[in-house]
Amino acid sequence: MEHKNLSLTLKVWRQKNSKAQGGFETYKIDGISTEMSFLEMFDVLNEKLINEGKEPVAFDHDCREGICGMCSMYINGRPHGPWHGTTTCQLHMRAFNNGDTIVVEPWRAKAFPVIRDLVVDRSAFDRIIEAGGYVSVNTGTPQDANAIPIPKQKADAAFDSAACIGCGACVAACKNSSAMLFVSAKVAQLANLPQGQPERATRALNMLDQMDKEGFGSCTHTGACEAVCPKEISVLNIAKLNNEYLGASLTVARD
Amino acid sequence: MSNGNFFTSSVGRKSIMGATGFFLISFLVVHVAINSLIFINIFNPSDKGHTFNVAANFMATNWVIHIMEVVLVLGLLAHAATGIRITILNKQKRPVKYAIAPTSSTWYSRSMGLLGTLILLFLVVHLRDFWYPTKVAEFVNHDIDQFNTYQVIVAAFQNPIRVVIYLVGVASLFYHLMHGFQAAFRTFGLVNKKYFSTIQCAGKYFAIIVCTLFALMPILTFIGLIK
Ligand code: SF4
Ligand code: FES
């Protein structure tokens, strides 16, 4: 791949805090290597801003290797930018051309309020997981590794669903700000495993109720989520979740 | 323990959409099948709409159909009311809009509210044109036996404006079905890896076949092939 240096115009959402009215700031930036990641480009921008005595742009990141789900930039109308199945931290500047204008916004959803600049509060996801996205186990001696047989197909399906990193891009891309892809990935993962069976019905009910309470929208099956998910979580998980929820609604007495 | 209510939960509301959607789809099958009897007149002009009128009069007077008519209206109202509610609720979930709106899905899957509204408006015109006159004939003039639905249709589609309105209505229905058919299956979890593409395909073909047949009626009448 040929190496180039890019000059870019960035339009970045700046917002002091959750209460403040935000707005776009425009920055010109030169000498961006096509080998850099998108976040490294922001590091360069922030160094420049600090040297000029200005506030750097706040943005979320942690692992920078596509596994933690912290990075969350909405780039040119797409969560995580133009590359398919890629997190913002794994997006590289060779995806752009010299002279491009790049518009960067935070995830936008009622349930994901902006904390500052490009950082949003995704603790709603934590509360959804707390509502049922786990299996309860008694402590004691660990079981033998192969004591519980799991068919290979089920294990594979559970593994695919478990790939969700909780980044929230699905919510960001959805016209309804629905968290169904995220919720369904966890419900489907545990519904496929024997360890998930005892809490299977209440899990689906409680996680979905929590999703509604947090202010996420309902799923109208546009498939926008799957298209932007960095882990390529399938919308079939949502069909499975619906199935689980409907079945549980019929069988579990709720108070 | 959960304290949610199924019918006000997001999945519950969607289930109402799916169930009424399936019911309305079954109505469309009956509607398009009976209407297609009109095409007999292209191949056999001596029929003069007779076959179609027999079927239409049966549908207009049979008491089982009358009951189904009421169920149909209720189903349609439930579908429309729930759809409007879902659309409004979902819109509130993103108070601050993006400068660049996301486009990683088809335009029609994102526009079900708009398409549904167009269909509803079209239905007002459509019922005024064809349903209302048969009711007047049946309950006011008591001459439904002499009522020539076929002639009413042929006369109505001489008007180019009406033809255009009908084509817009059918186009809205087409895109509504392109998304709605498969979405209903997905709402009930009636898809898996194996059948997903089959259901999507079936939805597309269903929309194409039904809407082509509906669209052909005003077009062929207007250009004089049905007369
Ligand atoms: S489903 Fe995909 S887009 Fe949604 S949170 Fe999980 S990894 Fe991110
Ligand atoms: S920073 Fe961890 S996934 Fe991007």
Side-chain angles (χ1 to χ4, degrees):
Chain A
M1 176 121 316
E2 189 198 350
H3 173 262
K4 279 187 287 190
N5 277 329
L6 308 175
S7 297
L8 302 163
T9 307
L10 295 173
K11 280 183 73 184
V12 183
W13 184 263
R14 302 300 308 264
Q15 183 172 335
K16 277 218 154 51
N17 54 54
S18 56
K19 305 256 163 4
Q21 171 107 33
F24 282 102
E25 289 284 338
T26 306
Y27 305 103
K28 295 245 180 251
I29 186 165
D30 301 315
I32 297 298
S33 159
T34 45
E35 313 276 294
M36 276 183 194
S37 77
F38 201 81
L39 295 186
E40 284 167 335
M41 184 266 291
F42 261 81
D43 294 338
V44 173
L45 170 70
N46 276 346
E47 254 170 57
K48 187 172 157 234
L49 288 176
I50 290 167
N51 286 336
E52 291 169 1
K54 295 180 186 150
E55 272 294 316
V57 181
F59 62 90
D60 262 331
H61 62 103
D62 188 8
C63 70
R64 297 209 178 194
E65 53 182 21
I67 55 168
C68 75
M70 273 311 277
C71 55
S72 50
M73 292 185 188
Y74 183 90
I75 303 158
N76 286 343
R78 216 183 133 93
H80 293 307
W83 280 355
H84 180 78
T86 308
T87 53
T88 303
C89 58
Q90 294 286 288
L91 173 67
H92 279 67
M93 294 313 293
R94 56 181 174 272
F96 300 91
N97 295 314
N98 197 24
D100 275 2
T101 298
I102 307 174
V103 181
V104 187
E105 303 175 65
W107 284 179
R108 294 216 184 277
K110 192 173 148 206
F112 284 167
V114 172
I115 297 173
R116 187 187 180 92
D117 298 337
L118 302 173
V119 180
V120 298
D121 179 359
R122 284 171 283 180
S123 58
F125 269 14
D126 299 337
R127 290 187 291 274
I128 292 174
I129 294 293
E130 280 164 26
Y134 50 78
V135 292
S136 307
V137 283
N138 294 323
T139 48
T141 26
Q143 275 184 325
D144 232 22
N146 287 321
I148 306 171
I150 304 172
K152 167 100 171 81
Q153 275 179 326
K154 293 255 177 191
D156 286 350
F159 200 82
D160 285 346
S161 301
C164 168
I165 52 176
C167 65
C170 42
V171 175
C174 175
K175 84 183 228 308
N176 311 320
S177 307
S178 177
M180 285 290 271
L181 196 65
F182 166 76
V183 177
S184 69
K186 188 53 71 192
V187 167
Q189 176 205 337
L190 297 177
N192 269 316
L193 296 173
Q195 294 89 338
Q197 299 315 307
E199 291 149 312
R200 183 170 173 174
T202 48
R203 173 181 306 115
L205 291 176
N206 293 342
M207 287 184 77
L208 250 169
D209 287 348
Q210 191 63 33
M211 178 190 107
D212 288 352
K213 268 186 221 151
E214 295 291 347
F216 294 101
S218 65
C219 172
T220 58
H221 306 292
T222 67
C225 51
E226 179 188 86
V228 303
C229 172
K231 298 297 147 186
E232 301 176 301
I233 301 292
S234 162
V235 290
L236 285 170
N237 287 285
I238 297 180
K240 176 135 182 103
L241 167 61
N242 287 336
N243 205 311
E244 297 282 323
Y245 185 79
L246 292 171
S249 295
L250 290 173
T251 51
V252 177
R254 303 218 246 174
D255 38 38
Chain B
M1 187 61 211
S2 156
N3 57 7
N5 178 316
F6 176 74
F7 288 104
T8 53
S9 72
S10 54
V11 178
R13 282 209 175 88
K14 286 292 297 167
S15 305
I16 299 173
M17 290 310 279
T20 49
F22 274 137
F23 172 64
L24 294 172
I25 282 173
S26 72
F27 158 73
L28 282 178
V29 174
V30 177
H31 188 2
V32 82
I34 292 187
N35 275 35
S36 296
L37 295 175
I38 290 182
F39 299 128
I40 291 176
N41 295 278
I42 302 172
F43 308 104
N44 179 14
S46 63
D47 183 65
K48 293 207 184 351
H50 178 71
T51 316
F52 174 75
N53 276 338
V54 170
N57 278 10
F58 171 78
M59 293 304 281
T61 52
N62 184 283
W63 66 269
V64 178
I65 307 293
H66 274 318
I67 294 173
M68 284 316 288
E69 241 173 357
V70 177
V71 180
L72 178 63
V73 171
L74 293 178
L76 185 81
L77 288 179
H79 193 76
T82 313
I84 291 167
R85 186 96 182 100
I86 288 176
T87 307
I88 292 172
L89 283 173
N90 282 344
K91 272 211 188 318
Q92 293 168 349
K93 302 297 193 275
R94 180 163 292 141
V96 184
K97 302 273 168 279
Y98 286 112
I100 306 178
T103 51
S104 59
S105 51
T106 57
W107 71 267
Y108 53 88
S109 72
R110 293 195 303 270
S111 314
M112 292 299 273
L114 172 72
L115 292 167
T117 309
L118 286 175
I119 294 171
L120 211 55
L121 291 175
F122 164 74
L123 278 180
V124 175
V125 178
H126 182 46
L127 291 178
R128 173 70 195 78
D129 284 347
F130 300 124
W131 178 81
Y132 179 70
T134 65
K135 294 297 132 180
V136 172
E138 187 179 3
F139 296 112
V140 183
N141 301 336
H142 302 289
D143 62 352
I144 185 80
D145 297 340
Q146 279 96 55
F147 193 81
N148 193 334
T149 315
Y150 181 76
Q151 276 315 320
V152 172
I153 293 175
V154 172
F157 290 136
Q158 302 309 316
N159 180 348
I161 295 171
R162 185 176 277 117
V163 172
V164 170
I165 292 175
Y166 273 68
L167 292 182
V168 172
V170 170
S172 310
L173 177 66
F174 173 74
Y175 283 110
H176 204 73
L177 282 173
M178 283 282 280
H179 182 64
F181 187 98
Q182 53 144 321
F185 280 88
R186 289 158 72 177
T187 291
F188 290 110
L190 297 174
V191 288
N192 58 25
K193 218 175 185 167
K194 197 165 172 188
Y195 296 112
F196 192 25
S197 51
T198 314
I199 297 285
Q200 283 181 310
C201 227
K204 283 190 180 136
Y205 281 116
F206 181 80
I208 291 171
I209 293 170
V210 168
C211 294
T212 308
L213 288 171
F214 275 140
L216 279 176
M217 291 162 204
I219 293 176
L220 296 184
T221 312
F222 185 70
I223 63 174
L225 269 176
I226 297 172
K227 53 178 182 279

